[in-house]
Amino acid sequence: MIPIHQRILKDIESRIMSGIWPPGHRIPVEHELLKEYQCSRMTVNKALSTLAERGMIIRRRKLGSFVASRQIDRTVMDIQDISTEAELAGHEHSHKILMRKIEMLDSTTATRLGEAEGAEILRLHCLHAVDGKANALERRIIMLDLVPSARAESFASVPPGKWLLDMVPWSKARHVIRAVSADANTARLLETERGEACLTLIRQTWQSSRTVTYVEFVHPGDRFQFAGDFHPNERGAIDQPPQGSAS
Protein backbone atom coordinates (compact mmCIF):
# COMPACT_ATOMS: atom_id res chain seq x y z
CA MET A 1 0.00 0.00 0.00
CA ILE A 2 1.36 3.43 -0.96
CA PRO A 3 1.91 5.76 2.03
CA ILE A 4 -0.53 8.68 2.08
CA HIS A 5 2.20 11.34 1.78
CA GLN A 6 3.47 9.59 -1.36
CA ARG A 7 -0.04 9.52 -2.81
CA ILE A 8 -0.45 13.26 -2.15
CA LEU A 9 2.97 13.93 -3.70
CA LYS A 10 2.23 11.85 -6.82
CA ASP A 11 -1.21 13.40 -7.31
CA ILE A 12 0.17 16.96 -7.14
CA GLU A 13 3.19 16.04 -9.29
CA SER A 14 0.89 14.53 -11.93
CA ARG A 15 -1.25 17.67 -12.13
CA ILE A 16 1.85 19.84 -12.53
CA MET A 17 3.50 17.58 -15.11
CA SER A 18 0.31 17.33 -17.17
CA GLY A 19 -0.10 21.11 -17.26
CA ILE A 20 -3.42 21.03 -15.39
CA TRP A 21 -1.74 23.20 -12.76
CA PRO A 22 0.46 25.73 -14.65
CA PRO A 23 3.27 27.87 -13.17
CA GLY A 24 1.90 30.20 -10.50
CA HIS A 25 -1.13 28.01 -9.80
CA ARG A 26 -1.97 27.91 -6.10
CA ILE A 27 -1.86 24.44 -4.56
CA PRO A 28 -4.88 23.61 -2.34
CA VAL A 29 -4.21 24.86 1.18
CA GLU A 30 -3.31 22.39 3.91
CA HIS A 31 -6.76 22.11 5.47
CA GLU A 32 -8.22 21.25 2.04
CA LEU A 33 -5.65 18.49 1.57
CA LEU A 34 -6.30 17.24 5.12
CA LYS A 35 -9.98 16.89 4.27
CA GLU A 36 -9.38 15.33 0.82
CA TYR A 37 -6.91 12.68 1.99
CA GLN A 38 -8.20 12.19 5.54
CA CYS A 39 -4.73 12.45 7.04
CA SER A 40 -2.68 14.46 9.51
CA ARG A 41 -1.12 17.89 8.98
CA MET A 42 2.32 16.27 9.36
CA THR A 43 1.58 13.94 6.41
CA VAL A 44 0.53 16.83 4.17
CA ASN A 45 3.54 18.88 5.22
CA LYS A 46 5.89 15.99 4.39
CA ALA A 47 4.50 15.75 0.85
CA LEU A 48 4.66 19.51 0.25
CA SER A 49 8.17 19.77 1.68
CA THR A 50 9.41 17.06 -0.68
CA LEU A 51 7.86 18.84 -3.68
CA ALA A 52 9.48 22.11 -2.59
CA GLU A 53 12.88 20.40 -2.27
CA ARG A 54 12.52 19.11 -5.83
CA GLY A 55 11.82 22.63 -7.07
CA MET A 56 8.29 21.82 -8.24
CA ILE A 57 6.49 24.16 -5.85
CA ILE A 58 7.27 27.29 -3.84
CA ARG A 59 5.96 27.58 -0.28
CA ARG A 60 5.23 31.09 0.95
CA ARG A 61 4.46 31.74 4.58
CA LYS A 62 0.85 32.84 5.14
CA LEU A 63 0.20 32.76 1.38
CA GLY A 64 0.34 29.05 0.60
CA SER A 65 2.12 26.88 -1.97
CA PHE A 66 2.41 27.64 -5.68
CA VAL A 67 3.62 25.77 -8.77
CA ALA A 68 7.18 26.93 -9.46
CA SER A 69 7.89 28.90 -12.61
CA ARG A 70 10.06 27.37 -15.33
CA GLN A 71 12.47 30.29 -14.99
CA ILE A 72 13.27 29.10 -11.48
CA ASP A 73 13.88 25.61 -12.82
CA ARG A 74 16.39 26.91 -15.35
CA THR A 75 18.38 28.90 -12.79
CA VAL A 76 19.36 25.60 -11.18
CA MET A 77 20.64 23.98 -14.39
CA ASP A 78 20.64 26.31 -17.37
CA ILE A 79 19.34 24.46 -20.40
CA GLN A 80 18.39 26.52 -23.43
CA ASP A 81 16.78 25.31 -26.62
CA ILE A 82 18.32 25.93 -30.04
CA SER A 83 15.81 28.65 -30.97
CA THR A 84 16.57 30.68 -27.83
CA GLU A 85 20.33 30.28 -28.29
CA ALA A 86 20.08 31.51 -31.88
CA GLU A 87 17.88 34.48 -30.99
CA LEU A 88 20.16 35.54 -28.12
CA ALA A 89 23.08 35.50 -30.55
CA GLY A 90 21.16 37.69 -33.03
CA HIS A 91 20.37 34.95 -35.56
CA GLU A 92 17.08 33.90 -37.14
CA HIS A 93 15.83 30.42 -36.24
CA SER A 94 13.31 28.19 -37.99
CA HIS A 95 12.33 24.55 -37.61
CA LYS A 96 10.44 21.81 -39.43
CA ILE A 97 8.91 18.67 -37.95
CA LEU A 98 10.06 15.74 -40.08
CA MET A 99 8.36 12.99 -38.10
CA ARG A 100 5.83 12.82 -35.29
CA LYS A 101 4.81 9.35 -34.15
CA ILE A 102 3.25 7.79 -31.06
CA GLU A 103 4.64 4.33 -30.39
CA MET A 104 5.61 1.86 -27.69
CA LEU A 105 9.07 1.85 -26.13
CA ASP A 106 11.17 -1.06 -27.39
CA SER A 107 13.34 -3.11 -25.03
CA THR A 108 16.69 -1.66 -26.16
CA THR A 109 15.59 1.96 -25.82
CA ALA A 110 13.78 1.22 -22.56
CA THR A 111 17.02 -0.12 -21.07
CA ARG A 112 18.96 2.94 -22.24
CA LEU A 113 16.38 5.31 -20.73
CA GLY A 114 15.80 3.29 -17.57
CA GLU A 115 12.09 3.05 -18.37
CA ALA A 116 9.61 0.19 -18.77
CA GLU A 117 9.38 -1.63 -22.08
CA GLY A 118 6.04 -0.95 -23.77
CA ALA A 119 5.61 2.52 -22.27
CA GLU A 120 3.89 4.95 -24.64
CA ILE A 121 6.18 7.58 -26.13
CA LEU A 122 6.08 10.41 -28.64
CA ARG A 123 8.97 10.17 -31.10
CA LEU A 124 9.92 13.35 -32.94
CA HIS A 125 12.41 14.20 -35.67
CA CYS A 126 12.96 17.92 -36.24
CA LEU A 127 15.26 19.91 -38.53
CA HIS A 128 16.53 23.26 -37.22
CA ALA A 129 17.92 26.06 -39.39
CA VAL A 130 19.80 29.19 -38.37
CA ASP A 131 19.79 32.10 -40.82
CA GLY A 132 18.29 29.76 -43.41
CA LYS A 133 21.07 27.15 -43.14
CA ALA A 134 20.54 23.69 -41.64
CA ASN A 135 22.05 23.70 -38.16
CA ALA A 136 20.79 20.65 -36.28
CA LEU A 137 18.90 17.41 -36.70
CA GLU A 138 16.88 16.65 -33.56
CA ARG A 139 15.72 13.15 -32.65
CA ARG A 140 13.61 13.22 -29.48
CA ILE A 141 11.59 10.88 -27.27
CA ILE A 142 8.98 12.23 -24.84
CA MET A 143 7.42 9.97 -22.19
CA LEU A 144 3.68 10.43 -22.64
CA ASP A 145 2.65 9.19 -19.21
CA LEU A 146 4.67 12.05 -17.69
CA VAL A 147 3.88 14.61 -20.39
CA PRO A 148 0.36 13.74 -21.61
CA SER A 149 -0.20 17.23 -23.05
CA ALA A 150 2.46 16.47 -25.69
CA ARG A 151 0.03 14.01 -27.27
CA ALA A 152 -2.02 16.84 -28.80
CA GLU A 153 0.86 19.26 -29.49
CA SER A 154 1.93 19.59 -33.13
CA PHE A 155 5.13 21.59 -32.38
CA ALA A 156 4.54 23.42 -35.66
CA SER A 157 4.87 26.89 -34.13
CA VAL A 158 7.09 26.15 -31.11
CA PRO A 159 10.03 23.70 -31.32
CA PRO A 160 9.92 20.70 -28.95
CA GLY A 161 12.80 21.84 -26.73
CA LYS A 162 11.34 25.28 -26.11
CA TRP A 163 7.86 23.84 -25.51
CA LEU A 164 9.19 21.36 -22.93
CA LEU A 165 11.20 24.00 -21.06
CA ASP A 166 8.13 26.23 -20.86
CA MET A 167 5.67 23.48 -19.93
CA VAL A 168 7.37 20.71 -17.98
CA PRO A 169 9.40 20.90 -14.74
CA TRP A 170 12.50 18.74 -14.39
CA SER A 171 14.99 18.09 -11.62
CA LYS A 172 18.03 16.49 -13.26
CA ALA A 173 19.79 16.58 -16.62
CA ARG A 174 22.71 14.82 -18.26
CA HIS A 175 24.70 15.96 -21.31
CA VAL A 176 26.97 13.77 -23.44
CA ILE A 177 28.89 15.24 -26.40
CA ARG A 178 30.25 12.98 -29.14
CA ALA A 179 31.95 13.35 -32.51
CA VAL A 180 30.24 11.36 -35.30
CA SER A 181 30.41 11.05 -39.07
CA ALA A 182 27.35 12.00 -41.08
CA ASP A 183 25.52 9.07 -42.66
CA ALA A 184 23.76 9.53 -46.00
CA ASN A 185 20.40 10.66 -44.55
CA THR A 186 21.97 13.01 -41.98
CA ALA A 187 24.24 14.51 -44.64
CA ARG A 188 21.27 15.16 -46.93
CA LEU A 189 19.24 16.88 -44.21
CA LEU A 190 22.14 18.93 -42.86
CA GLU A 191 23.30 19.86 -46.37
CA THR A 192 26.77 18.45 -45.91
CA GLU A 193 28.81 15.56 -47.28
CA ARG A 194 28.48 11.95 -46.22
CA GLY A 195 31.26 11.13 -43.76
CA GLU A 196 31.72 14.76 -42.72
CA ALA A 197 32.44 15.38 -39.04
CA CYS A 198 29.40 16.25 -36.89
CA LEU A 199 28.94 17.05 -33.22
CA THR A 200 26.22 15.20 -31.34
CA LEU A 201 24.73 16.43 -28.07
CA ILE A 202 22.77 13.77 -26.18
CA ARG A 203 20.58 15.13 -23.42
CA GLN A 204 18.32 13.30 -20.97
CA THR A 205 16.18 15.06 -18.38
CA TRP A 206 14.37 13.55 -15.41
CA GLN A 207 11.69 14.48 -12.91
CA SER A 208 12.60 12.59 -9.76
CA SER A 209 13.60 9.15 -11.04
CA ARG A 210 11.54 9.24 -14.24
CA THR A 211 12.71 10.28 -17.68
CA VAL A 212 10.87 13.31 -19.09
CA THR A 213 12.65 13.39 -22.46
CA TYR A 214 15.67 11.99 -24.27
CA VAL A 215 17.07 13.85 -27.28
CA GLU A 216 19.98 13.71 -29.69
CA PHE A 217 21.03 16.85 -31.60
CA VAL A 218 23.37 16.30 -34.54
CA HIS A 219 25.16 19.46 -35.72
CA PRO A 220 27.41 19.93 -38.77
CA GLY A 221 30.92 20.31 -37.40
CA ASP A 222 31.79 23.29 -39.58
CA ARG A 223 28.74 25.30 -38.53
CA PHE A 224 28.52 24.70 -34.81
CA GLN A 225 30.59 24.71 -31.66
CA PHE A 226 30.00 24.07 -27.97
CA ALA A 227 31.25 26.83 -25.70
CA GLY A 228 30.54 28.00 -22.18
CA ASP A 229 31.72 29.91 -19.15
CA PHE A 230 32.38 27.72 -16.14
CA HIS A 231 32.40 28.74 -12.51
CA PRO A 232 33.06 26.59 -9.42
CA ASN A 233 30.20 26.45 -6.98
CA GLU A 234 30.65 26.36 -3.22
CA ARG A 235 31.57 22.68 -3.30
CA GLY A 236 34.11 23.15 -6.07
CA ALA A 237 31.98 21.54 -8.79
CA ILE A 238 31.30 22.99 -12.21
CA ASP A 239 27.85 24.62 -12.24
CA GLN A 240 27.46 25.65 -15.89
CA PRO A 241 26.85 23.07 -18.67
CA PRO A 242 28.09 23.76 -22.21
CA GLN A 243 25.98 25.89 -24.50
CA GLY A 244 25.91 25.58 -28.26
CA SER A 245 26.35 28.29 -30.87
CA ALA A 246 26.25 28.60 -34.60
CA SER A 247 29.56 29.39 -36.19
Side-chain angles (χ1 to χ4, degrees), residues 174-178 200-204 226:
R174 175 184 296 145
H175 293 82
V176 177
I177 300 172
R178 294 175 179 166
T200 298
L201 169 65
I202 300 170
R203 176 185 294 159
Q204 187 171 358
F226 290 106

mmCIF file of all heavy atoms in Angstrom, residues 174-178 200-204 226:
data_model
loop_
_atom_site.group_PDB
_atom_site.id
_atom_site.type_symbol
_atom_site.label_atom_id
_atom_site.label_comp_id
_atom_site.label_asym_id
_atom_site.label_seq_id
_atom_site.Cartn_x
_atom_site.Cartn_y
_atom_site.Cartn_z
ATOM 1 N N ARG A 174 21.386 15.342 -17.921
ATOM 2 C CA ARG A 174 22.709 14.823 -18.264
ATOM 3 C C ARG A 174 23.009 15.173 -19.711
ATOM 4 O O ARG A 174 22.162 15.020 -20.591
ATOM 5 C CB ARG A 174 22.764 13.316 -18.078
ATOM 6 C CG ARG A 174 24.099 12.683 -18.538
ATOM 7 C CD ARG A 174 24.076 11.175 -18.417
ATOM 8 N NE ARG A 174 23.946 10.754 -17.033
ATOM 9 C CZ ARG A 174 23.268 9.687 -16.637
ATOM 10 N NH1 ARG A 174 22.634 8.947 -17.528
ATOM 11 N NH2 ARG A 174 23.194 9.369 -15.359
ATOM 12 N N HIS A 175 24.239 15.672 -19.970
ATOM 13 C CA HIS A 175 24.700 15.965 -21.314
ATOM 14 C C HIS A 175 25.851 15.028 -21.674
ATOM 15 O O HIS A 175 26.741 14.810 -20.865
ATOM 16 C CB HIS A 175 25.240 17.398 -21.431
ATOM 17 C CG HIS A 175 24.218 18.465 -21.260
ATOM 18 N ND1 HIS A 175 23.798 18.908 -20.033
ATOM 19 C CD2 HIS A 175 23.539 19.206 -22.180
ATOM 20 C CE1 HIS A 175 22.900 19.871 -20.192
ATOM 21 N NE2 HIS A 175 22.734 20.067 -21.480
ATOM 22 N N VAL A 176 25.843 14.518 -22.893
ATOM 23 C CA VAL A 176 26.972 13.769 -23.440
ATOM 24 C C VAL A 176 27.256 14.344 -24.823
ATOM 25 O O VAL A 176 26.335 14.500 -25.633
ATOM 26 C CB VAL A 176 26.673 12.261 -23.550
ATOM 27 C CG1 VAL A 176 27.849 11.540 -24.205
ATOM 28 C CG2 VAL A 176 26.371 11.660 -22.185
ATOM 29 N N ILE A 177 28.515 14.689 -25.105
ATOM 30 C CA ILE A 177 28.894 15.241 -26.403
ATOM 31 C C ILE A 177 29.804 14.245 -27.106
ATOM 32 O O ILE A 177 30.782 13.773 -26.520
ATOM 33 C CB ILE A 177 29.609 16.599 -26.241
ATOM 34 C CG1 ILE A 177 28.676 17.602 -25.553
ATOM 35 C CG2 ILE A 177 30.055 17.132 -27.598
ATOM 36 C CD1 ILE A 177 29.346 18.904 -25.178
ATOM 37 N N ARG A 178 29.475 13.938 -28.367
ATOM 38 C CA ARG A 178 30.251 12.984 -29.135
ATOM 39 C C ARG A 178 30.544 13.525 -30.530
ATOM 40 O O ARG A 178 29.778 14.322 -31.067
ATOM 41 C CB ARG A 178 29.494 11.655 -29.285
ATOM 42 C CG ARG A 178 29.281 10.889 -27.993
ATOM 43 C CD ARG A 178 28.427 9.669 -28.233
ATOM 44 N NE ARG A 178 28.217 8.883 -27.009
ATOM 45 C CZ ARG A 178 27.308 7.938 -26.892
ATOM 46 N NH1 ARG A 178 26.523 7.642 -27.917
ATOM 47 N NH2 ARG A 178 27.175 7.275 -25.750
ATOM 48 N N THR A 200 27.492 15.675 -31.873
ATOM 49 C CA THR A 200 26.220 15.200 -31.345
ATOM 50 C C THR A 200 26.118 15.514 -29.859
ATOM 51 O O THR A 200 27.014 15.163 -29.088
ATOM 52 C CB THR A 200 26.057 13.680 -31.551
ATOM 53 O OG1 THR A 200 26.066 13.391 -32.947
ATOM 54 C CG2 THR A 200 24.739 13.187 -30.957
ATOM 55 N N LEU A 201 25.043 16.184 -29.478
ATOM 56 C CA LEU A 201 24.732 16.427 -28.073
ATOM 57 C C LEU A 201 23.583 15.512 -27.688
ATOM 58 O O LEU A 201 22.506 15.573 -28.282
ATOM 59 C CB LEU A 201 24.333 17.884 -27.839
ATOM 60 C CG LEU A 201 23.735 18.186 -26.452
ATOM 61 C CD1 LEU A 201 24.770 17.960 -25.365
ATOM 62 C CD2 LEU A 201 23.196 19.614 -26.391
ATOM 63 N N ILE A 202 23.814 14.653 -26.712
ATOM 64 C CA ILE A 202 22.773 13.770 -26.183
ATOM 65 C C ILE A 202 22.359 14.330 -24.832
ATOM 66 O O ILE A 202 23.205 14.584 -23.974
ATOM 67 C CB ILE A 202 23.286 12.329 -26.033
ATOM 68 C CG1 ILE A 202 23.738 11.795 -27.386
ATOM 69 C CG2 ILE A 202 22.212 11.436 -25.420
ATOM 70 C CD1 ILE A 202 24.478 10.473 -27.301
ATOM 71 N N ARG A 203 21.077 14.536 -24.657
ATOM 72 C CA ARG A 203 20.576 15.129 -23.420
ATOM 73 C C ARG A 203 19.397 14.309 -22.895
ATOM 74 O O ARG A 203 18.476 13.982 -23.637
ATOM 75 C CB ARG A 203 20.135 16.571 -23.659
ATOM 76 C CG ARG A 203 19.515 17.248 -22.439
ATOM 77 C CD ARG A 203 18.991 18.627 -22.823
ATOM 78 N NE ARG A 203 20.075 19.525 -23.189
ATOM 79 C CZ ARG A 203 19.910 20.613 -23.933
ATOM 80 N NH1 ARG A 203 18.723 20.923 -24.412
ATOM 81 N NH2 ARG A 203 20.937 21.396 -24.211
ATOM 82 N N GLN A 204 19.434 13.985 -21.627
ATOM 83 C CA GLN A 204 18.324 13.302 -20.969
ATOM 84 C C GLN A 204 17.936 14.106 -19.740
ATOM 85 O O GLN A 204 18.806 14.548 -18.984
ATOM 86 C CB GLN A 204 18.702 11.875 -20.569
ATOM 87 C CG GLN A 204 17.536 11.049 -20.025
ATOM 88 C CD GLN A 204 17.902 9.583 -19.860
ATOM 89 O OE1 GLN A 204 19.012 9.158 -20.187
ATOM 90 N NE2 GLN A 204 16.969 8.778 -19.358
ATOM 91 N N PHE A 226 30.461 24.007 -29.340
ATOM 92 C CA PHE A 226 30.001 24.075 -27.970
ATOM 93 C C PHE A 226 30.963 24.965 -27.202
ATOM 94 O O PHE A 226 32.181 24.790 -27.278
ATOM 95 C CB PHE A 226 29.953 22.688 -27.331
ATOM 96 C CG PHE A 226 28.865 21.818 -27.875
ATOM 97 C CD1 PHE A 226 29.161 20.765 -28.725
ATOM 98 C CD2 PHE A 226 27.547 22.059 -27.561
ATOM 99 C CE1 PHE A 226 28.163 19.955 -29.234
ATOM 100 C CE2 PHE A 226 26.532 21.261 -28.069
ATOM 101 C CZ PHE A 226 26.838 20.209 -28.909
#
